[in-house]
Amino acid sequence: MEVFSKSLLSEKVAIVTGGGTGIGKEIAKHLGTTGAKVVITGRREHVLQETAEEFRHLGIEVSTISTDIRDPEQVKNLVEHTVECFGRVDILINNAGGQFPKKAEELSPNGWNAVINNNLNGTFYVTQEVSKQFMKQGTGGSITNILVNFLHRGAPGIAHSVAARSGIYGMMKTLALEWAKHNIRINSIGPGLFVTEGMSEEMASFAGSDFISNVTEDVPLKRTGKLEELGWLVTYISSPAAEYITGEYIIIDGGNSLGRGITFLPY
């Protein structure tokens, strides 16, 4: 289904972290098919190359660069690579991150620090470096963080991830104020249950094979989200149509957060 004009993001350049697979790949595809030139980044070069080939068949201008967002020097290289390829940066999608379900009492310091460093610190490093480029260009820009739909209620089983994402939420609110004078918009999106292959396997191993069906039953709309629905929302937030929106946290979860929400452990 074609929702937006193919020229909606014409002349825009977007960076999508974690853009080789899953949600990030879908977002990058939507940005590209509405006219943006796209740089996808992640840690697995062969995955990025496979995705880039798919995108080129769709007529998307795309470049790849392997980046560990936990390393500020690699993040700097990411932005330099983008400017060398396409001359500018206009849109950043902070999608890269990771987590693993674990009871809080069993969570090791290394496990805690790994998730905080990747999800919170890495997101800040990319946000800061891209925003420096926005300021250098003098054109402003749009940043969207892909978070989760349970920041206001918690999610037993992933305390480390909730802590990191909550940090990003607070950072977003602060930077929306601090950088508004530079015309830099920063928003966050909280997806509910959007099924990807990796997530299905991870949840089944931790919470049982009926986890997704049980959660779906608690969703008022009685279904999981479609990846394209998330892609459309991110495209809108990144577009000129949303130029008066900043500092917002938008939930897309079929009403799930109005009820029980998503939990990974009983409580």
Side-chain angles (χ1 to χ4, degrees):
M1 182 188 301
E2 185 175 314
V3 175
F4 298 115
S5 164
K6 293 181 180 179
S7 62
L8 177 68
L9 298 177
S10 179
E11 306 304 320
K12 301 294 186 182
V13 176
I15 295 174
V16 181
T17 67
T21 60
I23 286 174
K25 177 180 177 179
E26 187 71 19
I27 290 170
K29 182 178 76 174
H30 276 72
L31 297 175
T33 54
T34 51
K37 301 176 178 67
V38 180
V39 173
I40 55 173
T41 187
R43 282 187 263 178
R44 295 180 292 170
E45 181 63 34
H46 71 281
V47 172
L48 296 174
Q49 291 298 336
E50 291 171 2
T51 298
E53 281 304 305
E54 291 182 38
F55 285 4
R56 291 181 182 114
H57 286 303
L58 296 173
I60 298 171
E61 284 193 63
V62 59
S63 182
T64 69
I65 179 172
S66 178
T67 308
D68 183 342
I69 63 171
R70 299 170 297 182
D71 182 344
E73 283 302 313
Q74 291 191 39
V75 169
K76 185 177 180 180
N77 290 339
L78 163 63
V79 176
E80 290 176 349
H81 170 86
T82 303
V83 174
E84 287 172 4
C85 287
F86 298 127
R88 59 187 295 114
V89 187
D90 302 286
I91 296 165
L92 168 63
I93 310 299
N94 282 316
N95 171 72
Q99 63 199 22
F100 53 91
K102 196 77 170 178
K103 295 178 180 179
E105 66 270 25
E106 298 174 356
L107 188 59
S108 70
N110 284 342
W112 173 271
N113 289 330
V115 171
I116 297 297
N117 197 24
N118 192 30
N119 292 7
L120 178 56
N121 296 345
T123 296
F124 174 71
Y125 297 151
V126 181
T127 297
Q128 182 188 54
E129 198 64 39
V130 168
S131 292
K132 288 179 183 178
Q133 180 62 32
F134 288 161
M135 294 175 196
K136 182 179 178 180
Q137 293 169 184
T139 56
S142 171
I143 301 169
T144 304
N145 306 307
I146 307 303
L147 301 183
V148 285
N149 70 324
F150 42 65
L151 293 184
H152 63 296
R153 63 184 301 143
I158 54 169
H160 47 343
S161 181
V162 174
R165 312 286 183 166
S166 296
I168 296 170
Y169 174 89
M171 179 184 75
M172 170 201 71
K173 291 288 187 181
T174 300
L175 297 182
L177 293 171
E178 193 169 332
W179 291 343
K181 62 187 177 185
H182 299 291
N183 197 31
I184 295 172
R185 299 187 299 110
I186 178 166
N187 296 288
S188 295
I189 290 175
L193 191 62
F194 287 79
V195 179
T196 63
E197 183 177 349
M199 186 271 282
S200 299
E201 295 173 356
E202 183 180 56
M203 290 303 102
S205 66
F206 181 76
S209 58
D210 57 353
F211 170 79
I212 291 175
S213 60
N214 288 343
V215 173
T216 302
E217 185 61 30
D218 290 331
V219 176
L221 290 184
K222 301 300 180 186
R223 66 174 176 86
T224 61
K226 301 173 184 177
L227 286 177
E228 59 264 32
E229 293 171 322
L230 184 54
W232 293 330
L233 177 57
V234 176
T235 299
Y236 165 71
I237 290 296
S238 304
S239 78
E243 284 186 347
Y244 204 49
I245 300 175
T246 192
E248 293 300 321
Y249 169 56
I250 302 168
I251 295 174
I252 174 171
D253 69 354
N256 180 238
S257 55
L258 300 175
R260 290 182 58 194
I262 297 175
T263 64
F264 302 85
L265 289 172
Y267 62 96

